[in-house]
Amino acid sequence: MRLIQAVRGMNDILPREISWWQRVEATAREILEDFGYREIRTPLVEKLELFARSIGESTDIVEKEMYAFPDRKGELLGLRPEATASIVRAFIQHNLHADPLVNKFYAIGPMFRHERPQKGRYRQFHQIDAEAFGIDDPMLDAEVMYMLHLFLQRLGMEGVVLHINSLGCTECRPAYRGLLQSFLADHAEALCPDCQRRRHTNPLRVFDCKVDRCQSVLQEAPVLLQSVCSACSAHFDRVQNCLQGLKTAFLVNPRMVRGLDYYMRTTFEVITDQLGAQNAVGGGGRYNGLVKDLGGPDIPGIGFAIGMERLILLLQQGSGISSVSPHVFVAALGEASRRRAFLLVQELRKEGVAADMEYEGRSLKSQMRRADKLAVSHVVILGEDELNRGEVQVRDMISKTQEVHALESVVQAMVKFHGKRHPCPVG
RNA sequence: GUGGGUGUAGCUCAAUGGUUAGAGCACUGGGUUGUGGCCCCAGAGGCUGCCGGUUCGAGUCCGGUCACUCACCCCA
């Protein structure tokens, strides 16, 4: 029989690596909530039209990377390739703009794009996504980037650079686009085939081209940042001043273009040189027209997404942190002791002490070895003699000392030592 | 979607077309009738990714396929 494997580009996250994910998620929640963001969970599936209208019909994401399919009634649906569209949809649908207290949201979860997988690029991948609505002030742009910076810093991330740019607005970008297109038309014969195509579909993208010849042509091209209107220019200046005030290092990159149509004014990317071609760890920007375009009120917005796989790949290249939680191992000898030990383990767990035992009757040596591998702090030894006397041996694995406890009070002794964990804190 | 590279034990990797495919780490048992890490001994673990072809004979050569990987493309 042929083995069934996971779908190409979609990966299992195994127990041995899950602590990285948990740590990243916990840190993200901590920081996002400190900044006033609240979690929102939206469906993985949306009407295809939502993505087409928000991300842009002619973007690569929508044109060739979407998982799209008709459901049983023939309605066209799509697996979400990013989170912003869904969050904006929910924001409008539930009139969340009417609640002045909640206008910042975050989401953590899987996204889907049908691309050829490679390192740092998968068909199901995970993002931490943050969106803030209703504030057009450049202070917020800076705050969003500062939050991202702080998050990476708290995780101990090094060697990443924040690139920022302004894409202008609906007032000034069309004019620039025309300017660029006529420049490219004049130099068309010097451009690579890809850029020939981009010239018509998405002219700004030519700046991303890696072909040397195209880049040298572009040296003479008009620069967007110098063509934006005075309002956009003032906005961008304020963003930079604010970032400086927050001591957040950045690099103005006038050639940075982003692949989604809805961005305007401030855009940014966190870039690394350690992941090969997949160099963006996170990115985002302002999207003031989007809420209105999707049928909501004219409310500005800004947001970003972090690629969790890429982030974790980078963290793993740094120092590996292995966390060992306090743990009790119960070693039993003889059938009667084993049965009593089983109850003891459950009592410990019920009291919030992580505990384990050997379920099969192995030698004490073997049980001690296992306890050592698990890096427990204490082993409770329960043999025939101890059971008959109502006692246990408690071995401190670090100091290698051992003392006798009453069987009845050993649970409380372990609780006292390890502290009681409350799985569901109230508050 | 296009092009290159690689698939052998749980992991990292050996094996000129020729016996029964090996090593280190990890795992299990023992050395110590009931005490961990180090050491010693032993054991278990493989349709060599899958399918087909060439050959007396294929882990090795050829084709296909699947997966991973690198680059293009694109982005997180």
Side-chain angles (χ1 to χ4, degrees), chain A residues 99-286:
Chain A
D99 182 350
L101 296 178
V102 184
N103 56 11
K104 293 171 170 175
F105 305 90
Y106 75 91
I108 300 177
M111 308 295 158
F112 302 86
R113 291 183 203 171
H114 192 105
E115 295 180 273
R116 181 109 165 214
Q118 69 187 72
K119 191 188 192 75
R121 188 173 83 180
Y122 310 100
R123 290 185 174 178
Q124 175 175 330
F125 60 101
H126 298 77
Q127 288 186 338
I128 297 165
D129 189 273
E131 312 289 345
F133 298 100
I135 301 163
D136 196 26
D137 196 285
M139 249 196 307
L140 182 68
D141 302 38
E143 184 189 276
V144 162
M145 288 182 262
Y146 173 67
M147 179 170 74
L148 181 55
H149 166 79
L150 200 63
F151 169 66
L152 297 173
Q153 203 174 50
R154 195 169 293 183
L155 286 172
M157 174 79 77
E158 284 165 4
V160 292
V161 181
L162 175 65
H163 288 230
I164 69 171
N165 191 19
S166 176
L167 294 185
C169 61
T170 50
E171 297 294 314
C172 51
R173 186 149 42 142
Y176 169 75
R177 198 184 138 110
L179 209 64
L180 180 64
Q181 265 180 323
S182 64
F183 171 85
L184 293 174
D186 292 344
H187 299 78
E189 73 288 347
L191 297 170
C192 72
D194 277 327
C195 286
Q196 296 282 356
R197 176 180 52 80
R198 283 188 274 241
R199 193 156 73 83
H200 303 287
T201 56
N202 196 345
L204 294 189
R205 278 247 155 246
V206 298
F207 285 109
D208 278 348
C209 188
K210 284 161 192 163
V211 178
D212 287 342
R213 187 138 168 231
C214 295
Q215 284 301 328
S216 59
V217 169
L218 291 166
Q219 293 294 325
E220 308 297 319
V223 175
L224 172 54
L225 209 46
Q226 286 162 7
S227 313
V228 298
C229 62
S230 57
C232 287
S233 182
H235 186 98
F236 195 53
D237 285 346
R238 280 285 294 137
V239 170
Q240 292 180 64
N241 288 340
C242 254
L243 279 172
Q244 280 155 1
L246 291 165
K247 305 232 181 327
T248 301
F250 63 89
L251 191 69
V252 175
N253 179 355
R255 308 189 151 204
M256 186 179 68
V257 186
R258 299 196 41 85
L260 292 77
D261 282 357
Y262 53 62
Y263 286 123
M264 52 88 69
R265 286 195 175 159
T266 312
T267 57
F268 53 96
E269 264 180 32
V270 173
I271 291 178
T272 174
D273 57 4
Q274 295 165 67
L275 285 179
Q278 313 311 320
N279 63 357
V281 181
R286 186 165 272 289

Side-chain angles (χ1 to χ4, degrees), chain A residues 326-330 344-350 352-357 359 374 376 421:
Chain A
H327 227 81
V328 174
F329 193 87
V330 179
L344 183 57
V345 167
Q346 312 312 334
E347 286 170 47
L348 284 164
R349 290 168 174 169
K350 185 180 170 191
V353 176
D356 216 332
M357 68 179 285
Y359 291 89
L374 290 170
V376 304
R421 284 185 319 181

Side-chain angles (χ1 to χ4, degrees), chain A residues 327-331 358 365-379 397:
Chain A
H327 227 81
V328 174
F329 193 87
V330 179
E358 184 67 65
K365 175 178 180 159
S366 155
Q367 297 187 60
M368 292 301 291
R369 264 190 198 158
R370 184 161 172 73
D372 187 56
K373 296 256 163 58
L374 290 170
V376 304
S377 57
H378 291 86
V379 175
M397 293 297 274

Side-chain angles (χ1 to χ4, degrees), chain A residues 39-43 46 50 83-98 105 107 133 291 294 296-297:
Chain A
E39 185 172 8
I40 182 168
R41 302 190 189 190
T42 64
E46 298 273 359
L50 173 67
T84 306
S86 302
I87 294 174
V88 170
R89 195 221 79 233
F91 180 74
I92 297 167
Q93 183 175 333
H94 301 285
N95 276 311
L96 297 178
H97 42 87
F105 305 90
F133 298 100
V291 178
L294 289 176

